[in-house]
Amino acid sequence: AQKVTQAQTEISVVEKEDVTLDCVYETRDTTYYLFWYKQPPSGELVFLIRRNSFDEQNEISGRYSWNFQKSTSSFNFTITASQVVDSAVYFCALSEANYGQNFVFGPGTRLSVLP
Amino acid sequence: DTGVSQDPRHKITKRGQNVTFRCDPISEHNRLYWYRQTLGQGPEFLTYFQNEAQLEKSRLLSDRFSAERPKGSFSTLEIQRTEQGDSAMYLCASSTRQTPEAFFGQGTRLTVV
């Protein structure tokens, strides 16, 4: 069965600190997709990134970077030089290509960036 | 294209009443999803459409919940005989096979009193 675990319930950092959000997943499929979403206080889920299971190349986008490691079933998200606007709940999600199309979300990590 | 649109944004209803929510996906997105989110939790899958066909339905979805997507365009989610436990944010999302990431609407917040 598919499962996503985000062990960190809440994280608080001071502005300009780096912070890493952990995500560990379980899947029965050989082809799957991993995602990160941001949910700011306004409530709308905002798509950040998708990773395909066959592409382990790490990615950097501005202050955001993602580390995908199949060997440990992890897909961690790092924010460099955090800003107050990064304060939100961040969700990791998994979708299996061959066992249905629904997305399974982790419980989320609430990030608070203090000025 | 204005993204996924949901209506209404907020709904307050008395226990026992029926409610219906509407979702308009991103045009040309053939996949449509309904999720439910309660406070402090991640979104929980309810059902999935590919075009007009409802292909997946969560086992958690009781018989009081029904969803439709006539003609493969907009979708409706109806809850009959609402209960207080139905109070939640109901989220709609859409995607395509080529771009499997789901784009979410702003949600409909349901409060059952």
Side-chain angles (χ1 to χ4, degrees), chain A residues 42-96:
Chain A
S42 60
E44 186 169 353
L45 275 163
V46 178
F47 165 72
L48 295 178
I49 192 171
R50 163 173 56 96
R51 251 310 167 250
N52 305 332
S53 55
F54 47 84
D55 179 7
E56 286 194 71
Q57 187 175 2
N58 291 325
E59 182 162 338
I60 299 174
S61 175
R63 296 184 297 107
Y64 295 170
S65 62
W66 291 270
N67 182 5
F68 174 33
Q69 292 194 342
K70 264 175 119 167
S71 59
T72 56
S73 296
S74 65
F75 184 43
N76 297 337
F77 173 28
T78 297
I79 302 174
T80 303
S82 59
Q83 300 176 0
V84 173
V85 294
D86 295 328
S87 297
V89 181
Y90 291 85
F91 292 98
C92 182
L94 165 71
S95 174
E96 295 175 331

Side-chain angles (χ1 to χ4, degrees), chain A residues 17-62:
Chain A
E17 285 185 3
D18 299 346
V19 58
T20 296
L21 310 182
D22 298 333
C23 172
V24 174
Y25 63 93
E26 294 175 29
T27 178
R28 58 193 158 172
D29 207 342
T30 55
T31 302
Y32 52 91
Y33 306 100
L34 295 163
F35 310 85
W36 276 96
Y37 285 85
K38 175 183 180 179
Q39 190 171 45
S42 60
E44 186 169 353
L45 275 163
V46 178
F47 165 72
L48 295 178
I49 192 171
R50 163 173 56 96
R51 251 310 167 250
N52 305 332
S53 55
F54 47 84
D55 179 7
E56 286 194 71
Q57 187 175 2
N58 291 325
E59 182 162 338
I60 299 174
S61 175

Side-chain angles (χ1 to χ4, degrees), chain B residues 79-94:
Chain B
I79 309 174
Q80 297 181 327
R81 304 181 303 281
T82 52
E83 302 172 355
Q84 285 191 318
D86 297 330
S87 295
M89 177 75 85
Y90 289 84
L91 298 166
C92 178
S94 67

Side-chain angles (χ1 to χ4, degrees), chain A residues 33 35 37 39 42-45 47 50 52 91 99-108 110, chain B residues 31 33 35 37 40-43 45 48 50 56 91 95 98-106:
Chain A
Y33 306 100
F35 310 85
Y37 285 85
Q39 190 171 45
S42 60
E44 186 169 353
L45 275 163
F47 165 72
R50 163 173 56 96
N52 305 332
F91 292 98
Y99 289 98
Q101 304 301 329
N102 63 299
F103 293 70
V104 171
F105 283 81
R110 179 176 297 278
Chain B
R31 296 178 175 181
Y33 312 81
Y35 280 79
Q37 187 178 23
Q41 304 294 318
F45 172 73
Y48 158 68
Q50 185 164 301
E56 280 186 66
L91 298 166
S95 72
Q98 292 75 20
T99 52
E101 55 269 23
F103 292 91
F104 283 81
Q106 292 182 301

Side-chain angles (χ1 to χ4, degrees), chain A residues 11-19 81-84 111-115:
Chain A
I11 300 176
S12 286
V13 298
V14 177
E15 208 171 15
K16 297 184 184 176
E17 285 185 3
D18 299 346
V19 58
S82 59
Q83 300 176 0
V84 173
L111 174 64
S112 298
V113 182
L114 309 175

Side-chain angles (χ1 to χ4, degrees), chain B residues 14-98:
Chain B
K14 290 184 178 179
R15 190 172 49 186
Q17 297 293 307
N18 299 343
V19 294
T20 300
F21 309 141
R22 177 181 171 120
C23 170
D24 287 274
I26 294 172
S27 56
E28 298 177 0
H29 276 196
N30 62 338
R31 296 178 175 181
L32 186 147
Y33 312 81
W34 284 100
Y35 280 79
R36 177 172 61 191
Q37 187 178 23
T38 53
L39 202 61
Q41 304 294 318
E44 175 187 45
F45 172 73
L46 294 179
T47 190
Y48 158 68
F49 289 85
Q50 185 164 301
N51 300 311
E52 66 274 10
Q54 188 174 19
L55 298 185
E56 280 186 66
K57 198 172 171 182
S58 169
R59 287 179 228 166
L60 302 173
L61 209 60
S62 80
D63 292 342
R64 297 183 297 105
F65 287 71
S66 63
E68 293 183 344
R69 193 183 182 196
K71 302 178 183 177
S73 55
F74 71 92
S75 176
T76 58
L77 177 69
E78 181 184 17
I79 309 174
Q80 297 181 327
R81 304 181 303 281
T82 52
E83 302 172 355
Q84 285 191 318
D86 297 330
S87 295
M89 177 75 85
Y90 289 84
L91 298 166
C92 178
S94 67
S95 72
T96 68
R97 181 180 174 144
Q98 292 75 20

